[in-house]
């Protein structure tokens, strides 16, 4: 072995040993959890719930960093460029599986630039209308839209969000003329829905449920294939006539690609334990959320399948986001 080869081998060994040591010591400082939507919406609610539990088990603060914009792609870009050292995490959603079908160009590759950690949660979306809309069933809503083409607005948490693609799929399947109004998150969208600036939305359950219970908006259907336990009297869109409509919003904990496997596995284990705690289960159930349960390899396969599915749906619906 010549001198240069020896030096390269020695340096590589030292770097590998250093990485193993740092992974064993992790975490020794606060962890940032990048949330790609503004505070108050469903992604933020899930992030703060799991962030608190991870903070308790890891003995370090988990700081939620809301980076909303462009349907979650701004936050994804920021997180994808962070060091892969376990101190920056990312809460991805179904929106990030949809985005490749909506945007001509993204500054990151969702499947290449992130390492899957664990599925945190899933939830149905709920088709809701404000009190002024004279419809209490899906059939009545479709009839109302057709009588008022181009005058009914549906809101979303932003271009490329799950609410956006849910609405586009509804528009495509009902052959109605509804207008998409994007916001920077679910919370401001819900405020405008209740205020009458927009007429309808297909919003995630945690964001919608408090206002449904308060009677400020009316739930007409859920987007999942089977009825949601949180809304037993509310039909599915499939039951209401939109045969084959099936969408579940999910939230996945991710890490920048190259994060040490030991850290990824530790996070998976800690999150699985947190999701089994009674207070987390109760909080999720109250909002129509189901805790996740997947190993990193299972999540990688799931994300691949979801990306293929929703890219196809977005293109078939003619949905775009720029």
């Amino acid at each position: 072995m010549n001198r240069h080869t020896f030096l390269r081998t020695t340096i590589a060994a030292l770097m590998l040993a250093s990485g193993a040591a740092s992974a064993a010591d992790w975490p020794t400082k606060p962890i940032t959890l990048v949330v790609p939507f503004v505070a108050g919406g469903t992604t933020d609610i899930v992030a703060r719930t799991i962030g608190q539990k991870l903070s308790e088990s890891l003995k370090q603060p988990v700081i939620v960093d809301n980076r909303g914009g462009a349907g979650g792609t701004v936050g994804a870009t920021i997180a994808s460029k962070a060091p892969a050292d376990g101190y920056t995490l990312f809460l991805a959603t179904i929106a990030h599986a949809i985005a490749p079908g909506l945007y001509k160009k993204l500054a990151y590759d969702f499947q290449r630039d992130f390492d899957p950690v664990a599925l945190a949660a899933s939830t149905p979306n709920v088709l809701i209308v404000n009190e002024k809309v004279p419809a209490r069933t899906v059939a009545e809503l479709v009839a109302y839209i057709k009588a008022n083409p181009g005058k009914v607005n549906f809101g979303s948490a932003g271009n490329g969000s799950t609410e956006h693609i849910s609405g586009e799929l509804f528009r495509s399947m009902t052959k109605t003329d509804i207008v998409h109004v994007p916001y920077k998150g679910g919370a401001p969208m819900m405020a405008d829905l209740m205020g009458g600036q927009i007429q309808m939305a297909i919003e995630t359950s945690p964001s919608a449920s408090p206002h449904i219970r308060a009677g400020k908006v009316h739930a007409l259907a859920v987007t999942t294939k089977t009825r949601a336990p949180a809304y037993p009297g509310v039909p599915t869109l499939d039951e209401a006539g939109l045969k084959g409509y099936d969408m579940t919003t999910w939230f996945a904990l991710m890490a920048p690609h190259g994060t040490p496997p030991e850290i990824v596995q530790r996070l998976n284990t800690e999150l699985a334990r947190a999701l089994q705690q009674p207070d987390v289960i109760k909080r999720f159930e109250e909002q129509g959320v189901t805790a996740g349960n997947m190993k990193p390899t299972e999540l990688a396969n799931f994300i691949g399948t979801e990306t293929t599915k929703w890219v196809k749906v977005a293109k078939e619906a003619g949905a775009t986001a720029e």
Side-chain angles (χ1 to χ4, degrees):
M1 181 183 296
N2 62 40
R3 181 171 178 270
H4 292 295
T5 302
F6 174 78
L7 286 173
R8 284 198 301 270
T9 303
T10 302
I11 291 170
L14 288 171
M15 289 178 68
L16 184 62
S18 174
S22 63
D25 294 339
W26 179 90
T28 59
K29 62 182 182 179
I31 298 165
T32 297
L33 175 56
V34 177
V35 176
F37 295 100
V38 298
T42 298
T43 311
D44 183 67
I45 292 169
V46 172
R48 292 181 189 277
T49 300
I50 66 173
Q52 177 186 346
K53 291 300 178 181
L54 288 175
S55 178
E56 292 170 2
S57 64
L58 296 173
K59 304 293 190 292
Q60 288 290 342
V62 175
I63 301 166
V64 172
D65 183 12
N66 295 94
R67 295 298 188 98
T73 62
V74 170
T77 299
I78 292 169
S80 71
K81 310 302 181 188
D85 57 6
Y87 291 101
T88 299
L89 304 175
F90 177 57
L91 191 62
T93 79
I94 187 176
H96 298 96
I98 296 169
L102 298 175
Y103 293 87
K104 291 181 180 178
K105 187 176 181 180
L106 292 169
Y108 64 93
D109 184 303
F110 184 44
Q111 296 184 76
R112 183 194 65 206
D113 295 338
F114 291 100
D115 291 339
V117 176
L119 185 68
S122 62
T123 184
N125 292 354
V126 189
L127 171 58
I128 50 179
V129 296
N130 65 33
E131 292 181 305
K132 296 178 181 179
V133 175
R136 295 298 175 265
T137 67
V138 173
E140 290 175 353
L141 176 62
V142 171
Y144 176 72
I145 295 169
K146 288 185 175 181
N148 297 275
K151 296 180 181 179
V152 176
N153 299 325
F154 78 94
S156 80
N159 285 319
S161 65
T162 178
E163 298 94 337
H164 177 199
I165 198 64
S166 294
E168 293 290 358
L169 187 56
F170 178 90
R171 177 190 59 75
S172 175
M173 293 181 73
T174 58
K175 296 180 172 56
T176 50
D177 183 6
I178 52 178
V179 180
H180 176 222
V181 181
Y183 290 79
K184 290 186 177 180
M189 184 274 288
M190 285 298 303
D192 270 10
L193 177 65
M194 291 184 290
Q197 282 78 20
I198 57 175
Q199 289 73 45
M200 61 175 282
I202 305 182
E203 176 61 311
T204 49
S205 180
S207 181
S209 62
H211 309 297
I212 294 171
R213 289 196 299 267
K216 294 179 179 179
V217 295
H218 299 282
L220 306 188
V222 295
T223 61
T224 41
K225 202 167 187 178
T226 58
R227 293 198 180 195
Y231 312 98
V234 178
T236 67
L237 279 167
D238 181 86
E239 289 177 312
L242 277 67
K243 296 301 179 183
Y245 196 112
D246 181 18
M247 172 177 270
T248 299
T249 294
W250 48 262
F251 308 88
L253 188 64
M254 312 286 279
H257 179 62
T259 298
E262 297 88 348
I263 292 177
V264 170
Q265 187 54 55
R266 172 87 184 276
L267 283 165
N268 180 276
T269 300
E270 297 295 350
L271 182 56
R273 185 179 294 121
L275 294 174
Q276 294 172 4
Q277 294 183 22
D279 58 332
V280 174
I281 293 172
K282 181 180 178 182
R283 178 169 171 76
F284 277 2
E285 285 180 346
E286 289 173 346
Q287 301 181 66
V289 174
T290 301
N293 182 21
M294 284 187 188
K295 298 295 184 183
T297 52
E298 294 173 324
L299 180 56
N301 291 333
F302 173 76
I303 286 174
T305 300
E306 283 284 279
T307 301
T308 299
K309 172 185 175 179
W310 290 112
V311 165
K312 181 180 178 182
V313 169
K315 290 182 177 178
E316 289 177 350
T320 60
E322 294 300 336

